[in-house]
Amino acid sequence: MEFFSKFISPFKSIRLNEKNALTGYLLDHILVGTMYAEQQSAYLNSYETGLSKANISKLVKTYWEISNQDEAIEILQRLHDRNQDENLNIVYRAFENQENYVEILKSNLPDEEDAFVYYLNLFRKLKNVVPELKELNVITDFFQLKKIKDTGWNYGRGAFLARCCYELGYLSQNELIEYLAKSHTELKKYCSTWKEYTTSYIFGRAIWGGSNNNGMIQIANDLLNNNNSPLRNKTYI
Amino acid sequence: MQGKPSATWFLLPIWWEDYFIVANRAHSLWNFFKRQTKKGKSKKYLNTKKLKQKRMNPFFLIPIVVVIAGVVFMIIMNKKLKTAKAEINLDSERTKYEQYKQELLTQDFSKVKQWMKGGNIDAITSASVPQTTSNKIQELVTDGLKNVALSTIGVKLKRIETDCFWVLSRNDLHFFSTDTVGNLDEHIVFDNFRIEEAKLQYGGILKSQLGVYSKSSEEYLPITHIITFNIDGSPLSLEIHDRLNYTVDPTDMLNMKKQLETRAKYQIVGEKFVSILQNKFPNLKTA
């Protein structure tokens, strides 16, 4: 059955849980993970993902290398901490000032070689990703990304991963509720609208994975425009 | 320009051979035509023809005339070439580097300016992808693209025979490759940090893939430097020419002066590239 569900699920757009659907602010909180959830063909409106145990296990253990509660908390916390990285602002500033990028990066980034190379590679990725996102009409100007950064990608993955960890028993329901609420509050500092959230998610994924973002763009459009989507009638986060 | 024999002299035997073949073929055709018409003509007419056949066939005169005309043409062209060369003083022309660079960027190489999308152009020259680099990229592709970073750049450098350009723009080196009709194929940017880690070495005269070129045309072949970048641990070598690649415009075929003046401009602009690059990046200074 699992074999067939893998083929069928990509064609099933917008999965909603009709038995245990969340409403109100709890729904808003869970929607932070909506891009990742839709990517995995999971329920968008409940704590339960609606995915098989085997699928969740594979995602959490193989892709995220989480096999216990401690590892889950560590990874989920890291996804929140990434957004407070001040060095990202330096990389963005260097990207905007092509004439002085060398000076900006050399004088402001950490001297440690590994750290410097990490941010230098981010800078290089920006140079590839930003023109591509403009070409795909995801953004019209880099200015849009300066504010939202890749927070949608970080908080979004964290929110859905937390649901998976909850289903595997690594988080209690209270911990999940608390984590989702925090994700929602933090995300609002960067993204005002759900449209900004999806843009930020696409940007973060492009930085991570490079080209071929048409699938993500389609998911974002579906979430924002499909009549069944919980985001359809929500503009602001 | 140094005085060397004209590169067109070596074409003479080829022309002679071609005309000889054409003349022979024309003569055979003429005989065939005669044999065909012979059948339908009267004896009287044939007798008159036999008399005519004893005369020398005029087609054999064509190669001789052509050779003489060719020799005269070569002498005139060679004289023109020598005069034109004598009129160009490369040392004084070199003082006009900035003027020539701007001139070429607005006329002959305006496409490069377009590709830079308004970016600064401190220096420009021609480039090429060495056969060894192309082979290495081919190996990477065959091996399933082991080095992701190199393969990302490498797959863009699959062409080795089309026009390529280098542009130094502030802290970055831009490599442009073109397709078979001269349109932009790939644009690769090597940033300041990659150039700071790169190495430069003398590469000698650029030879064609088969390594065959006329000795007399050697002075027109570019001298190369090879710049080797470290792409996440793997070396990637590319060639920098000491001049912009010049192809004679068919309309200027007989205008030796214009050809030499254009060649001089292309050389003056291109030869400065390496020194400007080395001044900006002292790590690229060669011994």
Side-chain angles (χ1 to χ4, degrees):
Chain A
M1 277 305 286
E2 201 181 297
F3 175 78
F4 290 110
S5 70
K6 277 196 173 186
F7 283 95
I8 294 164
S9 54
F11 301 101
K12 285 194 294 183
S13 178
I14 314 290
R15 277 187 78 200
L16 299 173
N17 187 341
E18 285 163 15
K19 287 180 190 166
N20 297 317
L22 295 167
T23 52
Y25 69 90
L26 290 179
L27 176 64
D28 286 347
H29 295 175
I30 206 170
L31 289 178
V32 173
T34 199
M35 281 290 283
Y36 199 177
E38 179 64 7
Q39 215 181 329
Q40 300 297 322
S41 303
Y43 289 139
L44 302 182
N45 62 341
S46 66
Y47 294 133
E48 298 139 57
T49 61
L51 302 176
S52 70
K53 205 86 173 170
N55 271 349
I56 297 173
S57 251
K58 190 180 172 190
L59 189 143
V60 173
K61 287 180 180 159
T62 312
Y63 300 144
W64 287 94
E65 296 176 345
I66 294 172
S67 14
N68 55 49
Q69 189 180 22
D70 290 342
E71 284 170 357
I73 290 168
E74 192 195 327
I75 298 276
L76 290 171
Q77 187 57 47
R78 205 188 295 165
L79 286 168
H80 277 194
D81 294 343
R82 283 169 63 101
N83 305 295
Q84 276 80 53
D85 186 351
E86 288 297 320
N87 289 329
L88 282 182
N89 295 331
I90 296 162
V91 173
Y92 291 160
R93 189 148 56 90
F95 179 77
E96 276 189 309
N97 293 276
Q98 289 293 321
E99 289 178 17
N100 303 315
Y101 78 86
V102 179
E103 184 59 28
I104 293 169
L105 293 177
K106 277 186 175 173
S107 349
N108 297 295
L109 285 180
D111 289 335
E112 296 83 49
E113 199 187 332
D114 286 352
F116 187 85
V117 169
Y118 170 77
Y119 291 109
L120 177 60
N121 282 335
L122 268 182
F123 171 77
R124 284 172 177 158
K125 283 176 184 172
L126 276 183
K127 292 185 89 171
N128 291 329
V129 163
V130 173
E132 194 184 306
L133 293 185
K134 277 185 187 172
E135 209 172 296
L136 293 168
N137 295 321
V138 176
I139 55 163
T140 52
D141 195 274
F142 176 68
F143 180 76
Q144 291 171 267
L145 297 175
K146 259 187 87 178
K147 181 192 154 225
I148 62 178
K149 301 182 189 171
D150 61 346
T151 52
W153 169 245
N154 295 327
Y155 289 120
R157 286 181 301 160
F160 181 69
L161 185 63
R163 286 170 65 194
C164 295
C165 290
Y166 161 67
E167 283 198 25
L168 290 178
Y170 299 153
L171 291 184
S172 67
Q173 188 164 355
N174 281 341
E175 284 170 327
L176 172 66
I177 292 170
E178 196 185 320
Y179 186 82
L180 293 175
K182 196 180 170 199
S183 301
H184 184 260
T185 312
E186 293 288 318
L187 178 68
K188 273 207 288 190
K189 291 179 186 170
Y190 303 93
C191 302
S192 312
T193 62
W194 288 107
K195 167 82 177 143
E196 283 185 347
Y197 155 76
T198 56
T199 303
S200 170
Y201 192 94
I202 294 165
F203 169 58
R205 192 181 185 277
I207 288 283
W208 171 75
S211 299
N212 305 319
N213 294 295
N214 286 327
M216 294 314 302
I217 294 168
Q218 204 174 327
I219 287 176
N221 286 338
D222 207 20
L223 285 172
L224 295 169
N225 302 314
N226 190 310
N227 286 335
N228 295 327
S229 167
L231 293 186
R232 174 73 171 85
N233 296 317
K234 291 175 188 284
T235 306
Y236 296 101
I237 294 178
Chain B
M1 301 291 269
Q2 286 174 352
K4 281 196 177 178
S6 160
T8 45
W9 273 108
F10 74 97
L11 290 173
L12 198 57
I14 301 171
W15 288 6
W16 163 256
E17 218 169 282
D18 287 348
Y19 280 115
F20 191 74
I21 291 165
V22 171
N24 264 338
R25 283 191 185 157
H27 187 231
S28 308
L29 197 68
W30 175 248
N31 283 338
F32 174 76
F33 178 71
K34 277 195 300 185
R35 278 198 300 276
Q36 293 301 309
T37 51
K38 211 186 263 182
K39 293 169 190 171
K41 302 284 178 185
S42 66
K43 264 189 176 178
K44 188 183 172 187
Y45 177 77
L46 286 174
N47 287 339
T48 327
K49 286 291 282 178
K50 269 178 191 171
L51 281 170
K52 280 185 184 171
Q53 271 178 13
K54 283 178 186 172
R55 293 180 198 157
M56 188 183 172
N57 194 308
F59 280 115
F60 279 109
L61 288 173
I62 292 173
I64 298 164
V65 172
V66 166
V67 168
I68 293 166
V71 169
V72 172
F73 176 76
M74 288 299 162
I75 291 167
I76 294 168
M77 293 309 283
N78 206 26
K79 202 177 168 188
K80 275 190 177 180
L81 181 75
K82 277 182 183 166
T83 318
K85 271 186 180 177
E87 282 173 11
I88 296 170
N89 181 346
L90 265 188
D91 287 333
S92 79
E93 293 293 309
R94 281 188 176 107
T95 58
K96 298 175 192 165
Y97 168 75
E98 205 50 51
Q99 178 199 326
Y100 286 160
K101 190 183 86 182
Q102 293 309 327
E103 204 178 300
L104 293 184
L105 285 173
T106 48
Q107 293 168 12
D108 304 27
F109 298 97
S110 56
K111 59 184 179 182
V112 178
K113 208 174 172 183
Q114 279 173 16
W115 299 338
M116 284 299 291
K117 294 174 184 164
N120 203 50
I121 298 179
D122 299 319
I124 177 174
T125 194
S126 285
S128 49
V129 182
Q131 183 75 49
T132 47
T133 299
S134 174
N135 288 346
K136 191 170 70 183
I137 288 157
Q138 190 55 48
E139 278 167 29
L140 275 171
V141 174
T142 317
D143 291 355
L145 303 173
K146 280 177 191 163
N147 183 324
V148 177
L150 182 59
S151 67
T152 309
I153 291 174
V155 287
K156 295 178 175 182
L157 297 172
K158 48 188 185 268
R159 289 179 193 276
I160 55 164
E161 72 285 0
T162 51
D163 269 351
C164 299
F165 299 92
W166 282 113
V167 167
L168 176 65
S169 177
R170 298 187 195 278
N171 299 301
D172 299 336
L173 260 177
H174 295 248
F175 183 92
F176 297 100
S177 69
T178 61
D179 59 17
T180 45
V181 287
N183 293 328
L184 178 63
D185 195 19
E186 293 296 347
H187 177 186
I188 303 166
V189 183
F190 297 95
D191 63 41
N192 176 90
F193 301 97
R194 290 215 195 277
I195 307 169
E196 278 183 349
E197 281 187 2
K199 299 217 173 343
L200 191 74
Q201 66 187 86
Y202 180 72
I205 292 176
L206 181 81
K207 293 181 176 124
S208 69
Q209 256 180 285
L210 298 170
V212 181
Y213 59 94
S214 158
K215 192 73 186 162
S216 59
S217 61
E218 190 178 301
E219 67 171 310
Y220 299 130
L221 289 174
I223 293 165
T224 62
H225 276 83
I226 298 168
I227 187 163
T228 306
F229 297 98
N230 177 359
I231 308 292
D232 297 352
S234 293
L236 177 81
S237 296
L238 295 165
E239 286 163 333
I240 303 172
H241 298 189
D242 74 334
R243 65 197 69 190
L244 282 152
N245 184 32
Y246 175 67
T247 319
V248 184
D249 188 325
T251 55
D252 298 334
M253 201 62 92
L254 299 176
N255 192 343
M256 299 309 286
K257 192 178 177 207
K258 193 176 176 194
Q259 279 187 41
L260 287 174
E261 280 173 356
T262 315
R263 268 190 201 283
K265 278 183 198 173
Y266 282 30
Q267 186 181 336
I268 286 161
V269 172
E271 71 184 4
K272 206 95 161 102
F273 189 90
V274 167
S275 58
I276 293 173
L277 182 67
Q278 286 173 325
N279 286 341
K280 183 129 188 104
F281 297 95
N283 60 301
L284 296 178
K285 285 196 172 148
T286 47

